[in-house]
């Protein structure tokens, strides 16, 4: 996907999606400048809203070893869409929409950590991803960790390696943001563990 192939207009109109900063009445002084956000997800693609005109991806780590780096010339894979969508929604600069659709943290730096193996995500890889972020927090000045995925196990926090790793990240001064409700309305029973 190259921005030169993107030739339609995004001027405000009554049919358009309201940009996130407008919808949330966000203070324009808070742009994420000086902040590094780490995203832990199934995969990523170097979207123009993250790399143009300046590449704000300061690090990319693929725990599976499938790809050593992100390149716009590489073919995209189906498991890359979620991490790409999440990182662009939060931190995209709106390059492809002439700045109309930009994330709240559109001046932040990004660390992208891929935890899937050909789209399959395990608890072990999620925990390893969090541990990698903790180990590299000072190197990249990571202050926020976004986790918009979940594992397969429904276990108490005291027994979850993911929860324990996230707790350690918080102890190390990282703000951890986790998505809730990925199971949707599938009827998955929620139980209270003690």
């Amino acid at each position: 996907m190259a921005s030169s192939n993107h030739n339609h207009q995004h001027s405000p109109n009554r049919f358009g999606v309201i940009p996130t900063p407008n919808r949330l009445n966000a203070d324009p002084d808070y742009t994420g400048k000086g902040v590094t956000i780490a995203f832990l997800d199934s995969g990523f693609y170097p979207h123009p809203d993250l790399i143009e005109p300046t590449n704000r991806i300061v690090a990319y780590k693929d725990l599976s070893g499938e790809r050593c780096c992100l390149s716009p010339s590489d073919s995209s894979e189906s498991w890359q869409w979620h991490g790409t969508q999440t990182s662009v929604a939060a931190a995209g600069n709106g390059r492809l929409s002439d700045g109309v659709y930009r994330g709240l943290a559109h001046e932040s730096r990004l660390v992208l950590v891929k935890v899937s193996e050909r789209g399959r995500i395990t608890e072990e890889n999620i925990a390893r991803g969090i541990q990698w972020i903790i180990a590299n927090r000072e190197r990249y000045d990571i202050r926020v960790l976004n986790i918009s995925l979940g594992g397969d196990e429904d276990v108490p926090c005291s027994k979850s390696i993911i929860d324990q790793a996230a707790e350690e990240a918080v102890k190390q001064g990282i703000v951890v943001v986790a998505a809730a409700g990925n199971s949707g309305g599938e009827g998955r029973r929620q139980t209270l563990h003690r």
Side-chain angles (χ1 to χ4, degrees):
M1 173 186 286
S3 59
S4 61
N5 294 335
H6 188 83
N7 59 8
H8 61 274
Q9 298 296 317
H10 288 280
S11 58
N13 65 69
R14 65 188 180 123
F15 302 109
V17 174
I18 299 170
T20 301
N22 296 0
R23 192 173 65 241
L24 298 177
N25 196 28
D27 186 330
D29 293 335
Y30 297 105
T31 63
K33 188 172 187 168
V35 176
T36 303
I37 304 171
F39 290 86
L40 195 73
D41 218 303
S42 56
F44 302 91
Y45 185 80
H47 192 280
D49 282 18
L50 303 178
I51 64 170
E52 294 177 10
T54 304
N55 188 348
R56 292 180 295 117
I57 301 170
V58 296
Y60 170 73
K61 177 67 177 175
D62 181 347
L63 292 179
S64 72
E66 292 171 347
R67 286 196 175 154
C68 67
C69 57
L70 291 176
S71 172
S73 63
D74 289 342
S75 61
S76 62
E77 302 290 347
S78 61
W79 54 84
Q80 293 173 321
W81 78 268
H82 191 269
T84 302
Q85 173 188 1
T86 302
S87 57
V88 170
N93 63 10
R95 175 76 174 186
L96 292 184
S97 65
D98 298 323
V100 173
Y101 296 107
R102 65 175 187 270
L104 294 176
H106 61 273
E107 292 188 322
S108 63
R109 294 179 307 271
L110 294 86
V111 170
L112 307 178
V113 180
K114 177 183 166 288
V115 297
S116 75
E117 295 180 26
R118 301 195 57 75
R120 173 77 176 111
I121 302 168
T122 64
E123 275 79 8
E124 292 78 14
N125 276 359
I126 296 171
R128 282 180 51 218
I130 297 170
Q131 291 161 355
W132 186 92
I133 289 165
I134 293 169
N136 289 278
R137 75 189 183 287
E138 290 179 356
R139 179 178 182 189
Y140 299 112
D141 194 25
I142 299 169
R143 294 175 40 198
V144 179
L145 165 59
N146 180 81
I147 307 171
S148 292
L149 49 79
D152 294 329
E153 296 181 357
D154 186 15
V155 297
C157 178
S158 61
K159 295 182 181 177
S160 167
I161 60 174
I162 296 169
D163 291 342
Q164 296 305 310
E167 289 290 334
E168 182 59 30
V170 170
K171 287 180 189 172
Q172 297 296 325
I174 299 171
V175 175
V176 177
V177 180
N182 281 350
S183 296
E186 296 174 3
R188 182 174 169 185
R189 197 176 101 205
Q190 299 295 319
T191 56
L192 178 63
H193 301 283
R194 296 182 191 248

